Amino acid sequence: MAGPDGRLRCPWGLSTEDYVTYHDEEWGRPVHGDDALYERLCLEAFQSGLSWITILRRREGFRAAFAGFRIDEVARFTDADRERLLADPGIIRNRAKVDATLANARVLAEWADGDLDELIWSHAPDPASRKAPSVLADVPAITPESTALSKDLKKRGIRFVGPTTAYALMQACGLVNDHLEDCVIRGSGGPGAAA
């Protein structure tokens, strides 16, 4: 669909200004670094069952509540921090998701620096093996790679990361390029520009 500037974008990326910015500047661009990937993993888990715009509009609240998603700091959160989080209107106050976020930080704090980045990116498919989607219906919700990533993370103690959440993470962090074939971002030097 044509945006306000007349350029073609993925239809979902035009519904709000927040989405236009996220679509154009962030979604599908490669993300590296354990803390940055931990943030995306947590936000995708919080999004489960909700619309992404709900999470996107509370992102700064999440960052403030979870110490900028710095794994080592979140891993040291106490029961009092947990109660604070469950009372914080700036985030989604879902007990299971809050508990998973804290538990995942404790697991990841035991990993060597770079391990999360390496593990996640080891599941990126070969871009040449993926045809550019022409319509939204061509974009899968789950792939063999996202299923493998989910299993790999769960095997290592990471919670609340099913194959659909893992695929959303792969899309958001640039492991796959699901911008539609006519989207201006796909061919602009953004994610998967060579694909």
Side-chain angles (χ1 to χ4, degrees):
M1 293 178 63
D5 58 5
R7 299 186 318 164
L8 296 178
R9 288 180 174 80
C10 302
W12 67 265
L14 293 170
S15 59
T16 70
E17 279 188 45
D18 294 328
Y19 270 159
V20 172
T21 301
Y22 179 68
H23 171 272
D24 287 5
E25 298 176 10
E26 187 171 354
W27 191 74
R29 296 190 185 271
V31 174
H32 287 282
D34 292 348
D35 290 343
L37 288 165
Y38 169 67
E39 174 184 357
R40 302 323 191 281
L41 182 65
C42 294
L43 293 177
E44 294 296 346
F46 273 103
Q47 186 271 331
S48 181
L50 302 170
S51 68
W52 180 246
I53 197 69
T54 301
I55 303 304
L56 196 55
R57 289 182 174 159
R58 294 182 184 198
R59 192 172 190 181
E60 291 310 314
F62 276 107
R63 285 175 171 164
F66 287 101
F69 290 100
R70 290 179 295 278
I71 294 168
D72 289 339
E73 289 186 41
V74 178
R76 292 192 299 270
F77 277 19
T78 64
D79 287 342
D81 290 308
R82 179 181 179 270
E83 294 309 311
R84 171 186 56 80
L85 293 166
L86 292 172
D88 188 337
I91 67 169
I92 305 301
R93 295 170 288 179
N94 177 293
R95 187 174 305 276
K97 294 175 183 181
V98 167
D99 287 346
T101 300
L102 300 179
N104 290 346
R106 291 179 188 117
V107 169
L108 293 171
E110 299 298 318
W111 293 18
D113 188 41
D115 280 358
L116 179 61
D117 190 300
E118 183 178 330
L119 174 72
I120 288 174
W121 278 91
S122 73
H123 290 278
D126 176 2
S129 70
R130 296 176 50 89
K131 185 176 185 263
S134 57
V135 294
L136 288 179
D138 293 340
V139 178
I142 296 172
T143 63
E145 294 88 0
S146 75
T147 300
L149 175 58
S150 170
K151 287 180 181 176
D152 213 354
L153 288 166
K154 286 180 180 179
K155 180 175 72 175
R156 289 168 168 76
I158 302 300
R159 297 167 34 188
F160 228 102
V161 60
T164 303
T165 298
Y167 193 67
L169 175 75
M170 293 172 81
Q171 290 174 305
C173 295
L175 281 75
V176 297
N177 182 3
D178 279 342
H179 285 279
L180 301 183
E181 64 183 343
D182 292 334
C183 176
V184 66
I185 301 304
R186 183 173 190 89
S188 69

